[in-house]
Amino acid sequence: MPARSTRHVTILEVAREARASKTSVSRYFGDERERLSRELQGRIASAAKRLGYRPNQMARSLKGGHSRLIGMLVADIRNPFSVAVMHGVEQACRASGYSLLACNTDNDPAQESAHLSVLASYRVEGLVINATGSPHGALQAVIDRGTPLVLLDREVDRVDADVVGLDNPRAIDMALEHLAERGYRELLYITEPPEEASSRQRRMARFQTRLDDFGLTGESLCLPLTGGTGIPHDAIAAFLNRPGAAPKALLCANGKITLAVTRTLQALGVRLGETGLMGIDELDWCELVAPGITTLAQPTEAIGRAAVECLMQRRETQRHPSPPRHIHYQPVLIPRGSTQR
Amino acid sequence: MPARSTRHVTILEVAREARASKTSVSRYFGDERERLSRELQGRIASAAKRLGYRPNQMARSLKGGHSRLIGMLVADIRNPFSVAVMHGVEQACRASGYSLLACNTDNDPAQESAHLSVLASYRVEGLVINATGSPHGALQAVIDRGTPLVLLDREVDRVDADVVGLDNPRAIDMALEHLAERGYRELLYITEPPEEASSRQRRMARFQTRLDDFGLTGESLCLPLTGGTGIPHDAIAAFLNRPGAAPKALLCANGKITLAVTRTLQALGVRLGETGLMGIDELDWCELVAPGITTLAQPTEAIGRAAVECLMQRRETQRHPSPPRHIHYQPVLIPRGSTQR
DNA sequence: TTGTAAGCGTTATCAA
DNA sequence: TTGATAACGCTTACAA
């Protein structure tokens, strides 16, 4: 049992209790135990334990400039994809002795700026950012200040930082290949507003570009899901009811779209498979909605870990800055009944 | 544009630039602007802006003891319920000027202790804890140290802290009432290991106690979902195949169980509705799995906000500690086809 | 191997 | 209304 139960124990109290100097105690809890005699180590260890001592990170940070904190900005914490990546980030941080200060921006640039400012005030040593769309200068300011920064999934104009995410062109190619192979000919690509995220732009552009190569025709539909406003059933119904015998399929740009579209298709009484349905992002329930929804899974944990690795690398080589790295992961195709005619 | 792009600006530099003292600048950024002349305020404001000054929270915390940090321990960050609560917690924290240091324990007591210790080292001013099962003394130690603490969903033996969560007995009563009303007679209650969480115990105990009152029979099944090991289809199949004409229904103790059980039922080719299915926790996909899965939704955001309110209240009345509060929220029944015979 | 002393950037106490 | 100055708890030269 610790002797004193209220308030925090300081290094000085431990030093007194162990009949040693603050310096020695500091060395013990820093990485310099080997410099202390066995005996002194023992005294300090037991004194610290007796008193229940934990070094004050705030003081450490103030003196040494090492907050041991990594900041993360998540655009939408209720998106399972974001959470999965965040899980990877947190694991990796902890493995490197860092704690994660994660903030949710709800896709709101104002919250993004506010959080960025808070994170700076805690002197985070690195930032992992799943940015909202708006290209404000706060990000570049962070970099200029010398804080390593990694962009997740979304690049930001005129911010030269490392970027980690999905290989978007490849993902689209895989989707088109799969749909063509399964015999679908007319596609509808459904996305959230592309302005808001570079990954959305990449995917949509690639979709338009490569249709021909796979002998497909197609068009895009933009769904602003933000407000609680319903999904425009009409646009989707119009596509499905268009005359012609060519098999039709829907391609959803991300998990949120897949959810909204699946709801719509059920409301419209569409039979999956006959009408193809495929989505980027794997979700818990995709195998449950009969006959199963085909997806392209992102390696979320790997993405999270890679982001932290970039950070750590920059931290070590801060003197010799290297050009921004772009790391793109391959998706994994999970074929299910929704693309089986 | 800030003049100096590298490193952080200190209060001293602002003071010089504004031809003022550190004290005045400190007052400006503290809550004492009114004590400064209009003119000095102006000089400081513009100097700070010019230099891009942000107060160093670490230094502030060291001096005043106010880290403006709230810590949160989440047992399973990939559980949508936990994330939804966390969202509420974060909103509430921000509204009160606090930042949230959220840690995921993956239901591992060792990680829980480790994180607790880290959070303490950052001198968090309050803790919101969704505890793992193990009743280790670290929690009580936190309280003794004077840090306000709120338990989420799960109580912990011999830790007298505020508790916020679902009204578990009421939830079970609502489920039983609904199932009885819909004509089901034989129930199987499926839960994760109750030892790990008080809420699981409460629910299961209530289930056993109240069956009779609703004219039902039933039993419980414990599913350890932790390992990647599959779900015991056999136990569920055995229940369903038991002879007798009494309509059967499954009641799932939480969202994770609902997911696992739904998978199992699909594998077994069970028709939902004919066999009843109901779960505690509302999930995105419950309306999508035909004919829709009936759930009891928890008011997650409210729970998160209430937790932070408890914290703030304790912080204000720290001199006069009051007995622990227990706040229990009513669930909301969302009836769907899975309980429609 | 151990200790002394000078800060890190801020706020609180006192005085002007 | 303003400003020196001494902490806060820790790390890090520099001495011994």
Side-chain angles (χ1 to χ4, degrees), chain A residues 218-238:
Chain A
E219 59 203 79
S220 301
L221 174 63
C222 176
L223 239 49
L225 293 180
T226 42
T229 64
I231 307 114
H233 291 210
D234 297 349
I236 291 176

Side-chain angles (χ1 to χ4, degrees), chain A residues 140-181:
Chain A
Q140 188 60 50
V142 167
I143 298 183
D144 292 343
R145 207 187 290 125
T147 308
L149 185 153
V150 177
L151 295 173
L152 263 187
D153 185 59
R154 306 169 176 188
E155 301 174 35
V156 175
D157 276 354
R158 308 201 286 135
V159 171
D160 41 326
D162 297 329
V163 179
V164 179
L166 187 69
D167 183 341
N168 290 301
R170 180 85 192 100
I172 294 298
D173 290 357
M174 285 171 68
L176 294 180
E177 185 182 351
H178 176 74
L179 291 170
E181 199 175 285

Side-chain angles (χ1 to χ4, degrees), chain A residues 11 22 26 53 60 63:
Chain A
I11 203 173
K22 293 194 314 178
S26 172
Y53 172 70
R60 280 189 153 174
K63 181 64 194 158

Side-chain angles (χ1 to χ4, degrees), chain A residues 177-192:
Chain A
E177 185 182 351
H178 176 74
L179 291 170
E181 199 175 285
R182 291 292 177 95
Y184 299 99
R185 286 295 166 261
E186 275 184 37
L187 305 191
L188 182 63
Y189 181 77
I190 310 172
T191 178
E192 290 188 271

Side-chain angles (χ1 to χ4, degrees), chain A residues 89-105:
Chain A
V89 169
E90 205 220 7
Q91 302 270 91
C93 284
R94 204 155 41 85
S96 302
Y98 283 78
S99 296
L100 184 67
L101 206 42
C103 305
N104 171 45
T105 66

